[in-house]
Amino acid sequence: MSKTILVTGAGRGLGRTLAEQLTARGDKVIAHARSESALDGVPHDRKLVFDLAEPAAIADAVAELGLERLDGVIHNAGVVHIGTVAEQSLEWWQQTLTINITAPAELTRALLPALRAARGHVVFVNSGAGISAGPKWSSYAASKHALRALADSLRAEEQPNGVRVTSVYPSHFATDMQRSVREQYDADYDPARATSPDSIAKTIVDLLNTPADMVVNELRIEPPNPLPIRARS
């Protein structure tokens, strides 16, 4: 049976791959991006255009969709700034926390009536940094630890309503963000030692198709032989 799934950050990378795989299996995709042009070439049934850096606009944007039922939302969009605590500016902190945690929380709140009506599924694309934080990851890891807390609270609150909640923790997969991280670290990057977006997307799509009598609360994903992030000597 066809489902309606909202994907944030659908304009590129994992989000675009998710939109492609969901559409290929017959689902209807509501594609989110910061601009309409970002969705050029992205398969979707409907679009949701707003900047996650401005979460005050989310409720009105969702209301315009007029959703009565929503089978799932995949919180995929995010930003990362690499630097020591001494280097992290106030602007970096504010942008990272707003986009990575405040916006997903507000979007989820706005979507909850439709998710409850469909007994839907909320998937948070987290990170290994949401489990443990290393040097130069402070703002990003803080936002991802907070995202884990949001997922845990939401899961406990919405169980009586039949809403399922999953946190996915992919590590070292081939995206523009991973390349950006390596560049900021001045570290080598080998996509052959990273998990492909296709594999991550397939795993998330499969999670959305789990039987109604079960839920995967958390899932960690790593490549078999990841290249450590170390600055070139």
Side-chain angles (χ1 to χ4, degrees), residues 121-205:
H121 199 151
V122 182
V123 177
F124 294 97
V125 180
N126 203 299
S127 165
I131 297 172
S132 63
K136 298 187 177 183
W137 286 95
S138 58
S139 64
Y140 182 72
S143 72
K144 291 299 187 178
H145 275 68
L147 194 67
R148 183 181 192 180
L150 170 61
D152 289 347
S153 292
L154 181 69
R155 184 181 302 113
E157 293 163 2
E158 293 300 321
Q159 280 179 342
N161 297 316
V163 175
R164 297 185 288 178
V165 180
T166 302
S167 288
V168 179
Y169 301 88
S171 177
H172 300 283
F173 70 109
T175 64
D176 291 341
M177 180 179 285
Q178 181 68 204
R179 293 183 184 89
S180 173
V181 166
R182 301 281 175 159
E183 289 170 1
Q184 292 178 68
Y185 260 96
D186 191 29
D188 291 326
Y189 174 65
D190 182 359
R193 293 176 65 178
T195 306
S196 72
D198 285 336
S199 295
I200 301 292
K202 182 182 183 303
T203 299
I204 293 172
V205 170

Side-chain angles (χ1 to χ4, degrees), residues 208-222:
L208 293 171
N209 204 36
T210 52
D213 62 352
M214 64 168 284
V215 60
V216 177
N217 291 338
E218 295 189 323
L219 181 65
R220 296 188 66 177
I221 303 170
E222 293 183 342

Side-chain angles (χ1 to χ4, degrees), residues 5 19 23 37 62 84 126 179 193-195 232:
I5 310 294
T23 299
S37 61
V62 170
T84 64
N126 203 299
R179 293 183 184 89
R193 293 176 65 178
T195 306
R232 300 182 183 93

